[in-house]
mmCIF file of all heavy atoms in Angstrom:
data_model
loop_
_atom_site.group_PDB
_atom_site.id
_atom_site.type_symbol
_atom_site.label_atom_id
_atom_site.label_comp_id
_atom_site.label_asym_id
_atom_site.label_seq_id
_atom_site.Cartn_x
_atom_site.Cartn_y
_atom_site.Cartn_z
ATOM 1 N N PRO A 93 -8.666 5.916 -4.975
ATOM 2 C CA PRO A 93 -7.238 5.753 -5.435
ATOM 3 C C PRO A 93 -6.406 4.782 -4.591
ATOM 4 O O PRO A 93 -5.396 5.122 -4.021
ATOM 5 C CB PRO A 93 -6.703 7.179 -5.305
ATOM 6 C CG PRO A 93 -7.520 7.841 -4.230
ATOM 7 C CD PRO A 93 -8.874 7.154 -4.261
ATOM 8 N N TYR A 94 -6.932 3.530 -4.519
ATOM 9 C CA TYR A 94 -6.189 2.388 -3.949
ATOM 10 C C TYR A 94 -5.936 2.624 -2.458
ATOM 11 O O TYR A 94 -4.944 2.052 -1.904
ATOM 12 C CB TYR A 94 -4.886 2.153 -4.697
ATOM 13 C CG TYR A 94 -5.084 2.012 -6.190
ATOM 14 C CD1 TYR A 94 -4.942 3.173 -7.017
ATOM 15 C CD2 TYR A 94 -5.400 0.870 -6.806
ATOM 16 C CE1 TYR A 94 -5.148 3.108 -8.402
ATOM 17 C CE2 TYR A 94 -5.618 0.770 -8.155
ATOM 18 C CZ TYR A 94 -5.483 1.908 -8.924
ATOM 19 O OH TYR A 94 -5.713 1.844 -10.302
ATOM 20 N N ASN A 104 2.152 -0.705 -9.680
ATOM 21 C CA ASN A 104 2.859 0.321 -10.457
ATOM 22 C C ASN A 104 2.639 0.145 -11.976
ATOM 23 O O ASN A 104 1.737 -0.570 -12.399
ATOM 24 C CB ASN A 104 4.331 0.410 -10.114
ATOM 25 C CG ASN A 104 4.837 1.852 -10.134
ATOM 26 O OD1 ASN A 104 4.680 2.556 -11.140
ATOM 27 N ND2 ASN A 104 5.399 2.327 -9.044
ATOM 28 N N ARG A 105 3.453 0.828 -12.784
ATOM 29 C CA ARG A 105 3.078 1.010 -14.189
ATOM 30 C C ARG A 105 3.809 0.079 -15.169
ATOM 31 O O ARG A 105 4.945 -0.292 -14.916
ATOM 32 C CB ARG A 105 3.342 2.469 -14.612
ATOM 33 C CG ARG A 105 2.485 3.433 -13.844
ATOM 34 C CD ARG A 105 2.613 4.891 -14.326
ATOM 35 N NE ARG A 105 1.547 5.679 -13.715
ATOM 36 C CZ ARG A 105 1.614 6.183 -12.470
ATOM 37 N NH1 ARG A 105 2.707 6.004 -11.731
ATOM 38 N NH2 ARG A 105 0.614 6.846 -11.960
ATOM 39 N N ASN A 124 -4.574 4.314 -16.980
ATOM 40 C CA ASN A 124 -4.013 5.468 -16.298
ATOM 41 C C ASN A 124 -3.350 6.336 -17.384
ATOM 42 O O ASN A 124 -2.761 5.770 -18.332
ATOM 43 C CB ASN A 124 -2.966 4.980 -15.279
ATOM 44 C CG ASN A 124 -2.370 6.089 -14.411
ATOM 45 O OD1 ASN A 124 -1.149 6.173 -14.351
ATOM 46 N ND2 ASN A 124 -3.158 6.870 -13.794
ATOM 47 N N LEU A 133 -1.719 0.539 -15.000
ATOM 48 C CA LEU A 133 -1.393 0.858 -13.586
ATOM 49 C C LEU A 133 -2.029 -0.152 -12.626
ATOM 50 O O LEU A 133 -3.214 -0.459 -12.772
ATOM 51 C CB LEU A 133 -1.893 2.276 -13.241
ATOM 52 C CG LEU A 133 -1.728 2.715 -11.752
ATOM 53 C CD1 LEU A 133 -0.241 2.901 -11.393
ATOM 54 C CD2 LEU A 133 -2.477 4.014 -11.495
ATOM 55 N N HIS A 134 -1.206 -0.615 -11.678
ATOM 56 C CA HIS A 134 -1.750 -1.391 -10.529
ATOM 57 C C HIS A 134 -2.663 -2.570 -10.982
ATOM 58 O O HIS A 134 -3.734 -2.791 -10.357
ATOM 59 C CB HIS A 134 -2.489 -0.488 -9.529
ATOM 60 C CG HIS A 134 -1.602 0.527 -8.858
ATOM 61 N ND1 HIS A 134 -0.270 0.333 -8.642
ATOM 62 C CD2 HIS A 134 -1.884 1.752 -8.362
ATOM 63 C CE1 HIS A 134 0.254 1.376 -8.050
ATOM 64 N NE2 HIS A 134 -0.721 2.249 -7.823
ATOM 65 N N HIS A 208 -0.681 -0.301 -0.585
ATOM 66 C CA HIS A 208 -0.893 1.097 -1.045
ATOM 67 C C HIS A 208 -1.551 1.931 0.052
ATOM 68 O O HIS A 208 -2.355 2.834 -0.240
ATOM 69 C CB HIS A 208 -1.710 1.077 -2.328
ATOM 70 C CG HIS A 208 -1.504 2.276 -3.211
ATOM 71 N ND1 HIS A 208 -1.885 3.533 -2.839
ATOM 72 C CD2 HIS A 208 -0.902 2.391 -4.400
ATOM 73 C CE1 HIS A 208 -1.555 4.389 -3.812
ATOM 74 N NE2 HIS A 208 -0.931 3.714 -4.750
ATOM 75 N N TYR A 210 -2.093 4.900 2.515
ATOM 76 C CA TYR A 210 -1.697 6.305 2.648
ATOM 77 C C TYR A 210 -1.596 6.623 4.106
ATOM 78 O O TYR A 210 -2.591 6.505 4.837
ATOM 79 C CB TYR A 210 -2.747 7.235 2.048
ATOM 80 C CG TYR A 210 -2.950 7.201 0.528
ATOM 81 C CD1 TYR A 210 -3.499 6.071 -0.075
ATOM 82 C CD2 TYR A 210 -2.604 8.289 -0.231
ATOM 83 C CE1 TYR A 210 -3.727 6.059 -1.440
ATOM 84 C CE2 TYR A 210 -2.845 8.288 -1.597
ATOM 85 C CZ TYR A 210 -3.410 7.147 -2.203
ATOM 86 O OH TYR A 210 -3.632 7.162 -3.574
ATOM 87 N N LEU A 240 5.353 8.518 -16.631
ATOM 88 C CA LEU A 240 5.863 8.024 -15.335
ATOM 89 C C LEU A 240 6.397 6.611 -15.470
ATOM 90 O O LEU A 240 6.394 5.814 -14.511
ATOM 91 C CB LEU A 240 4.810 8.168 -14.257
ATOM 92 C CG LEU A 240 4.233 9.519 -13.999
ATOM 93 C CD1 LEU A 240 3.333 9.580 -12.745
ATOM 94 C CD2 LEU A 240 5.350 10.588 -13.880
ATOM 95 N N ASP A 280 6.791 11.045 -6.744
ATOM 96 C CA ASP A 280 6.005 9.866 -7.146
ATOM 97 C C ASP A 280 6.979 9.015 -7.951
ATOM 98 O O ASP A 280 6.816 8.827 -9.137
ATOM 99 C CB ASP A 280 4.765 10.309 -7.948
ATOM 100 C CG ASP A 280 3.838 9.161 -8.238
ATOM 101 O OD1 ASP A 280 4.093 8.002 -7.800
ATOM 102 O OD2 ASP A 280 2.810 9.372 -8.921
ATOM 103 N N HIS A 281 7.998 8.538 -7.270
ATOM 104 C CA HIS A 281 9.090 7.865 -7.951
ATOM 105 C C HIS A 281 9.542 6.601 -7.179
ATOM 106 O O HIS A 281 9.243 6.431 -6.033
ATOM 107 C CB HIS A 281 10.304 8.829 -8.034
ATOM 108 C CG HIS A 281 10.059 10.033 -8.940
ATOM 109 N ND1 HIS A 281 9.330 11.124 -8.513
ATOM 110 C CD2 HIS A 281 10.443 10.277 -10.205
ATOM 111 C CE1 HIS A 281 9.246 11.996 -9.476
ATOM 112 N NE2 HIS A 281 9.898 11.502 -10.534
ATOM 113 N N GLN A 318 8.410 2.963 -3.840
ATOM 114 C CA GLN A 318 7.736 4.102 -4.440
ATOM 115 C C GLN A 318 7.321 5.028 -3.333
ATOM 116 O O GLN A 318 6.493 4.652 -2.500
ATOM 117 C CB GLN A 318 6.492 3.635 -5.252
ATOM 118 C CG GLN A 318 5.801 4.717 -6.049
ATOM 119 C CD GLN A 318 6.379 4.948 -7.435
ATOM 120 O OE1 GLN A 318 7.233 4.159 -7.882
ATOM 121 N NE2 GLN A 318 5.924 5.960 -8.133
ATOM 122 N N TYR A 320 5.303 8.083 -2.724
ATOM 123 C CA TYR A 320 4.266 8.849 -3.445
ATOM 124 C C TYR A 320 3.660 9.825 -2.450
ATOM 125 O O TYR A 320 3.204 9.411 -1.367
ATOM 126 C CB TYR A 320 3.211 7.875 -3.990
ATOM 127 C CG TYR A 320 1.943 8.543 -4.471
ATOM 128 C CD1 TYR A 320 1.998 9.549 -5.424
ATOM 129 C CD2 TYR A 320 0.710 8.146 -3.991
ATOM 130 C CE1 TYR A 320 0.832 10.140 -5.881
ATOM 131 C CE2 TYR A 320 -0.439 8.754 -4.447
ATOM 132 C CZ TYR A 320 -0.386 9.776 -5.383
ATOM 133 O OH TYR A 320 -1.520 10.368 -5.794
ATOM 134 N N PHE A 324 -1.929 13.162 -6.402
ATOM 135 C CA PHE A 324 -3.182 13.034 -7.156
ATOM 136 C C PHE A 324 -4.413 13.190 -6.279
ATOM 137 O O PHE A 324 -5.555 13.166 -6.766
ATOM 138 C CB PHE A 324 -3.231 11.750 -7.962
ATOM 139 C CG PHE A 324 -2.249 11.701 -9.096
ATOM 140 C CD1 PHE A 324 -1.201 10.787 -9.075
ATOM 141 C CD2 PHE A 324 -2.339 12.560 -10.154
ATOM 142 C CE1 PHE A 324 -0.278 10.750 -10.134
ATOM 143 C CE2 PHE A 324 -1.443 12.527 -11.205
ATOM 144 C CZ PHE A 324 -0.402 11.609 -11.158
ATOM 145 N N CYS A 344 2.343 7.394 0.477
ATOM 146 C CA CYS A 344 2.467 5.956 0.354
ATOM 147 C C CYS A 344 3.960 5.597 0.302
ATOM 148 O O CYS A 344 4.779 6.335 -0.260
ATOM 149 C CB CYS A 344 1.821 5.476 -0.925
ATOM 150 S SG CYS A 344 0.082 5.820 -1.039
ATOM 151 N N GLU A 346 5.406 2.367 -0.992
ATOM 152 C CA GLU A 346 5.102 1.108 -1.651
ATOM 153 C C GLU A 346 6.399 0.362 -1.944
ATOM 154 O O GLU A 346 7.118 0.720 -2.849
ATOM 155 C CB GLU A 346 4.353 1.401 -2.956
ATOM 156 C CG GLU A 346 3.068 2.217 -2.758
ATOM 157 C CD GLU A 346 2.661 2.950 -4.038
ATOM 158 O OE1 GLU A 346 2.379 2.305 -5.082
ATOM 159 O OE2 GLU A 346 2.580 4.185 -4.000
HETATM 160 C C1 GLA B 401 0.825 5.032 -7.197
HETATM 161 C C2 GLA B 401 1.329 5.794 -8.353
HETATM 162 C C3 GLA B 401 0.763 7.176 -8.338
HETATM 163 C C4 GLA B 401 -0.747 7.126 -8.316
HETATM 164 C C5 GLA B 401 -1.210 6.288 -7.140
HETATM 165 C C6 GLA B 401 -2.682 6.083 -7.138
HETATM 166 O O1 GLA B 401 1.359 5.430 -6.016
HETATM 167 O O2 GLA B 401 2.748 5.839 -8.360
HETATM 168 O O3 GLA B 401 1.169 7.814 -9.493
HETATM 169 O O4 GLA B 401 -1.261 6.555 -9.494
HETATM 170 O O5 GLA B 401 -0.600 5.054 -7.165
HETATM 171 O O6 GLA B 401 -3.407 7.275 -7.237
#
Side-chain angles (χ1 to χ4, degrees):
Y94 310 93
N104 217 306
R105 297 186 169 82
N124 185 232
L133 176 69
H134 294 332
H208 207 291
Y210 292 68
L240 304 188
D280 188 0
H281 293 78
Q318 185 87 7
Y320 168 55
F324 291 115
C344 300
E346 304 156 60

